[in-house]
């Protein structure tokens, strides 16, 4: 039974009804010594409490898409088939453009919570050794004959941790917000891509390459990117690619944009952080060398040549805003950093409200 499926949610509600009915029906009918009667009644109360908590958890999880499967929830998910050392550029010396085309099979997502037009494929990264689902949404202009020769800009969208790739479509309603803006010409007709980033059970990869453990950075910035350009009329140049994220995904987006200006022209981070140790379960935050190497602030300060990339950073206080100011102070041309202060805390409501501004900004940074 699927964790996020309707049948499990209905089952949990039925169990709550049963749990409430049991004390009403059996409370005075429990027989035996006082200890047995007390224990029986206590078990009925515990059963009622547990089932109520389950219903609340399922409702919250289905709304926010924190865990996409039982494996994600229990920390038993492992989406890594290999994790060899791929070197500083994350390609292992392979020329990605010369690799065979990736033939992906897409199906239309029928979950009404995800909205209309979302496609899904299961991808095994040839270079990263990561396997997982990738969601894609095509802009309304994609099938317009007037655009048949056009390549579209792409934005990769990364969720927080824990978090599901579904969150952008199911909780933040990104395509529902942006479609009218694309149709009106207010923003560019972006291809929206959201890959799985929850790859190693109960640990956050920090979207990093860690030999022997995971090549999450290559999965996002090389394998998913190649799959998109091989299967859709998507821009193949860095000028046509951006990456956005919230919470732990914001940290990833900013870091990837700084690390790979040859792959991304812009990165947007909502309520993120610079120090990987801000995420308690982060693999990169536990190791001093990885912690330094994956801190976007230190990456900017140490860069011999400032990366040609643009950053949008927003948040409140130390939850995004102050880290953004640090990035802005450290940036040197051609790196640019736009910082916006928000109110409302660390919440989906704040990030959902911010999306029009983020994609309006991305429209000014990316070129198809």
């Amino acid at each position: 039974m699927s964790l996020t499926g309707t049948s499990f949610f209905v089952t949990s509600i039925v169990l709550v009804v049963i749990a409430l009915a049991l004390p009403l029906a059996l409370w005075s009918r429990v027989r035996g010594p006082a200890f047995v009667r007390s224990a029986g009644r206590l078990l009925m109360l515990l059963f009622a409490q547990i089932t109520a908590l389950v219903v609340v958890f399922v409702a919250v999880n289905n709304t926010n898409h924190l865990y996409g499967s039982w494996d994600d929830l229990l920390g038993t998910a492992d989406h890594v088939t290999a994790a060899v050392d791929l070197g500083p550029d994350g390609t292992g010396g392979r020329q990605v453009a010369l690799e065979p085309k990736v033939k992906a099979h897409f199906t239309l997502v029928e979950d009404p919570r995800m909205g209309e037009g979302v496609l899904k494929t299961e991808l095994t990264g040839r270079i990263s050794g990561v396997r997982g689902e990738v969601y894609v949404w095509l802009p309304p202009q994609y099938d317009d004959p007037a655009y048949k020769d056009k390549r579209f800009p792409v934005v990769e969208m990364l969720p927080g941790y824990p978090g599901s790739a579904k969150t952008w479509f199911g909780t933040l309603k990104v395509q529902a917000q942006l479609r009218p803006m694309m149709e009106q010409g207010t923003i560019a007709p972006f291809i929206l891509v959201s890959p799985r980033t929850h790859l190693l059970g109960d640990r956050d990869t920090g979207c990093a390459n860690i030999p022997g453990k995971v090549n999450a950075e290559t999965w996002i910035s090389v394998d998913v990117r190649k799959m998109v350009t091989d299967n859709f009329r998507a821009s193949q140049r860095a000028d046509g690619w951006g990456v956005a994220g919230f919470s732990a995904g914001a940290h990833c987006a900013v870091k990837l944009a700084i690390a790979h200006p040859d792959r991304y022209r812009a990165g947007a981070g909502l309520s993120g952080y610079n120090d990987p140790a801000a995420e308690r379960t982060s693999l990169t935050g536990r190791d001093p060398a990885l912690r330094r190497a994956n801190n976007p602030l230190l990456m900017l300060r140490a860069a011999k040549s400032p990366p040609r990339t643009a950053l949008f950073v927003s948040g409140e206080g130390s939850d995004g805003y102050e880290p953004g100011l640090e990035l802005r102070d450290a940036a040197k041309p051609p790196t640019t950093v736009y910082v916006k202060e928000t109110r409302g805390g660390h919440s989906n409501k704040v990030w959902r409200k911010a999306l029009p501004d983020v994609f309006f900004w991305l429209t000014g940074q990316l070129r198809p």
Side-chain angles (χ1 to χ4, degrees), residues 228-286:
V228 172
T229 57
D230 283 352
N231 289 271
F232 300 99
R233 298 197 314 277
S235 174
Q236 297 181 349
R237 300 180 298 119
D239 280 350
W241 278 73
V243 57
F246 59 85
S247 191
H251 166 74
C252 290
V254 171
K255 185 190 75 170
L256 289 172
I258 292 172
H260 300 292
D262 58 324
R263 301 170 194 170
Y264 304 103
R265 185 60 62 234
L270 311 177
S271 302
Y273 48 84
N274 293 325
D275 186 351
E279 168 51 53
R280 180 179 55 83
T281 65
S282 171
L283 289 173
T284 56
R286 297 178 182 179

Side-chain angles (χ1 to χ4, degrees), residues 20-164:
L20 293 175
L22 282 176
L24 294 175
L26 302 178
W27 192 268
S28 61
R29 298 184 182 183
V30 179
R31 297 290 182 260
F35 171 76
V36 174
R37 295 197 304 273
S38 298
R41 290 164 180 165
L42 178 61
L43 286 174
M44 286 190 285
L45 293 175
L46 288 175
F47 182 49
Q49 291 290 324
I50 292 171
T51 54
L53 289 173
V54 169
V55 167
V56 172
F57 165 77
V58 174
V60 171
N61 187 60
N62 286 352
T63 300
N64 296 284
H65 296 93
L66 299 175
Y67 299 97
S69 68
W70 288 105
D71 284 337
D72 289 342
L73 174 63
L74 300 174
T76 56
D78 187 348
H79 293 264
V80 178
T81 61
V84 300
D85 189 343
L86 296 174
D89 72 343
T91 65
R94 294 163 71 170
Q95 302 225 5
V96 179
L98 301 180
E99 289 287 311
K101 273 200 165 189
V102 178
K103 296 180 180 179
H105 174 67
F106 282 87
T107 57
L108 186 65
V109 176
E110 297 181 352
D111 186 345
R113 291 169 297 185
M114 292 277 283
E116 297 181 354
V118 181
L119 304 172
K120 176 185 176 182
T121 190
E122 294 289 335
L123 175 67
T124 298
R126 293 174 181 165
I127 299 178
S128 67
V130 170
R131 64 173 181 267
E133 70 273 18
V134 182
Y135 295 93
V136 175
W137 182 83
L138 301 174
Q141 291 89 339
Y142 192 85
D143 292 323
D144 187 334
Y147 289 79
K148 64 182 179 63
D149 297 321
K150 177 182 175 64
R151 287 190 175 272
F152 292 82
V154 182
V155 178
E156 277 189 273
M157 308 179 303
L158 312 178
Y161 181 88
S164 164

